[in-house]
Amino acid sequence: MFQKTVSVIVPVYNAQAYLERCVESIRRQTWRELEILLVDDGAKDESPQMCDAYAGKDTRIRVIHKENGGLMSAWTAGVKEASGSYVLFVDSDDWVEECMVEGLVREAQGVPGEVICCNFLIERPDGTQPCRHELKPGVYEGERLQEVKGNLLGNERRTVSMSRCMKLFSRELITQNLHYCDPRIGMGEDVNIVLPALCDCSRLVVLKDALWYHYFYNPASMVHKYDAAMTEGIRALTEAIRLVFSEKNIRGGKEQGEKEGVYLTLLAVKNELRGGRSGYAGRIRRICRDAEPAERMARYAMRPQERANRVLAWVIRRPDILRCAAGKALFGLYDRRMSGG
């Protein structure tokens, strides 16, 4: 097997409670050709000192200290310092199986433009949930790969997860697409790098089973808070998706972008319904007027199947005060039930 160094990039911000679990899982990897980049994004807790201590006892670890700039700026800083042939991202509150890097590298052929995908486990307080890509496991090249690229977005469940984690990337797929990363985008920001990387890739591998990445679901950070910047962020993300598809000349890119825009608009409407701030119905009407989700749903015969999306689709088809109020009440009942209230 070819010997290729993998650069593992870990953005770190106020992660002292989880950092040991994360870093130790990377240090224990059976694949030893690692460069581990811990990017301290201006953390205020003991994380920076912990990172330095790890670098002192493992020569494969380098620490980058920087001013706080957010998650995207942190992993971007790591990419710019990476020297490995492949790049792998791990978030600081997550952890990985010790076989993960070797399992991913064994599926790589050492050719430019590779993306190797494993699957993951969502670690919740009440149990573990396995999650897999919608795309059937296998190797995708040539025309098969072009068909996948023509169906990356615009589905209720994405064909390939747009998380930058759980994937081994040929380094150039990331470095050559950093200019698409838009710091205005806070929700779904991984799409900015994963989408262009998938559009450019020459070989895509989706592994069967391979539940090697543990995604930590932290209920304390997952509460349904109103995000006043979400609508603008989604507008920026929709434009970024349109730009990627246009510049990469992807088959059916315009349709993919418009359909994905509908699902992103549903998230913006859900944010308003859950937030329930004064004037939410008026903001929902403006969102629907600007993004035209109902018209696009009709144009592409989109029929959401997930329960929450069906409620949202019903609201956007006629976003008057009564439907908005009904949608708000339904999400309120759901959230109270989920929280045990």
Side-chain angles (χ1 to χ4, degrees):
M1 189 196 311
F2 59 92
Q3 293 293 313
K4 295 292 184 182
T5 300
V6 176
S7 295
V8 184
I9 299 170
V10 184
V12 179
Y13 182 74
N14 292 355
Q16 64 181 29
Y18 312 108
L19 191 59
E20 180 179 1
R21 178 178 64 187
C22 174
V23 175
E24 290 297 341
S25 76
I26 299 170
R27 294 181 67 211
R28 288 195 299 267
Q29 291 298 301
T30 57
W31 185 261
R32 305 304 295 172
E33 298 296 317
L34 296 180
E35 172 187 58
I36 305 169
L37 296 164
L38 305 180
V39 186
D40 162 33
D41 189 36
K44 305 302 183 184
D45 62 358
E46 296 300 313
S47 299
Q49 293 86 341
M50 293 174 69
C51 289
D52 290 337
Y54 273 117
K57 63 182 179 181
D58 192 327
T59 58
R60 298 173 301 170
I61 294 178
R62 283 197 288 141
V63 181
I64 301 169
H65 294 290
K66 60 182 288 295
E67 292 184 0
N68 179 253
L71 180 59
M72 183 185 294
S73 76
W75 65 253
T76 297
V79 167
K80 291 177 180 177
E81 294 292 327
S83 61
S85 302
Y86 293 89
V87 171
L88 180 72
F89 298 99
V90 180
D91 283 341
S92 58
D93 51 355
D94 300 335
W95 70 99
V96 296
E97 293 292 322
E98 65 181 24
C99 64
M100 187 180 82
V101 177
E102 182 169 2
L104 292 169
V105 171
R106 285 188 179 279
E107 298 298 329
Q109 292 186 341
V111 299
E114 294 186 293
V115 180
I116 317 296
C117 307
C118 69
N119 298 296
F120 64 104
L121 296 161
I122 299 179
E123 300 289 350
R124 304 177 187 271
D126 59 349
T128 299
Q129 175 187 351
C131 293
R132 296 173 173 83
H133 300 277
E134 289 294 304
L135 185 63
K136 182 179 178 181
V139 179
Y140 295 84
E141 299 174 290
E143 181 56 29
R144 288 189 77 207
L145 180 56
Q146 296 309 310
E147 291 175 3
V148 172
K149 292 180 181 181
N151 193 37
L152 287 170
L153 294 182
N155 305 300
E156 196 163 14
R157 295 190 177 183
R158 288 170 173 165
T159 309
V160 178
S161 165
M162 286 288 146
S163 170
R164 78 196 127 72
C165 302
M166 314 134 197
K167 299 175 181 68
L168 185 73
F169 296 95
S170 291
R171 182 171 171 272
E172 71 278 359
L173 290 176
I174 303 298
T175 58
Q176 293 175 8
N177 286 301
L178 285 178
H179 61 282
Y180 287 110
C181 294
D182 185 342
R184 294 177 301 164
I185 299 172
M187 189 203 71
E189 71 274 10
D190 281 1
V191 176
N192 283 21
I193 194 64
V194 177
L195 179 60
L198 289 173
C199 288
D200 284 348
C201 77
S202 60
R203 184 171 183 267
L204 172 65
V205 180
V206 177
L207 300 181
K208 183 179 181 182
D209 298 324
L211 295 162
W212 296 333
Y213 190 100
H214 296 259
Y215 170 76
F216 178 59
Y217 183 95
N218 185 354
S221 64
M222 294 294 176
V223 294
H224 302 300
K225 296 179 180 178
Y226 178 70
D227 182 357
M230 182 181 288
T231 297
E232 180 56 35
I234 283 177
R235 186 179 293 113
L237 178 56
T238 302
E239 175 58 25
I241 289 169
R242 186 204 63 78
L243 181 64
V244 170
F245 279 137
S246 174
E247 294 189 349
K248 304 296 185 183
N249 195 28
I250 295 300
R251 180 187 306 172
K254 182 175 184 293
E255 178 176 339
Q256 286 193 69
E258 291 192 348
K259 290 166 68 176
E260 184 69 15
V262 170
Y263 288 113
L264 292 173
T265 301
L266 295 185
L267 292 177
V269 172
K270 181 163 63 174
N271 177 56
E272 294 293 344
L273 293 175
R274 275 186 161 147
R277 299 290 182 89
S278 176
Y280 73 94
R283 289 192 296 274
I284 287 173
R285 284 193 290 274
R286 285 194 295 274
I287 290 169
C288 293
R289 181 193 63 213
D290 295 343
E292 300 181 334
E295 292 83 349
R296 291 182 179 184
M297 287 181 66
R299 184 188 313 156
Y300 296 116
M302 298 172 66
R303 298 287 185 270
Q305 297 302 307
E306 295 182 5
R307 183 177 300 176
N309 284 341
R310 286 161 60 187
V311 172
L312 293 166
W314 177 74
V315 171
I316 67 171
R317 287 191 181 101
R318 195 174 73 238
D320 56 30
I321 187 65
L322 291 177
R323 288 202 181 195
C324 289
K328 177 179 179 296
L330 286 170
F331 277 105
L333 287 171
Y334 173 80
D335 290 340
R336 284 194 293 274
R337 186 176 64 185
M338 292 300 290
S339 64

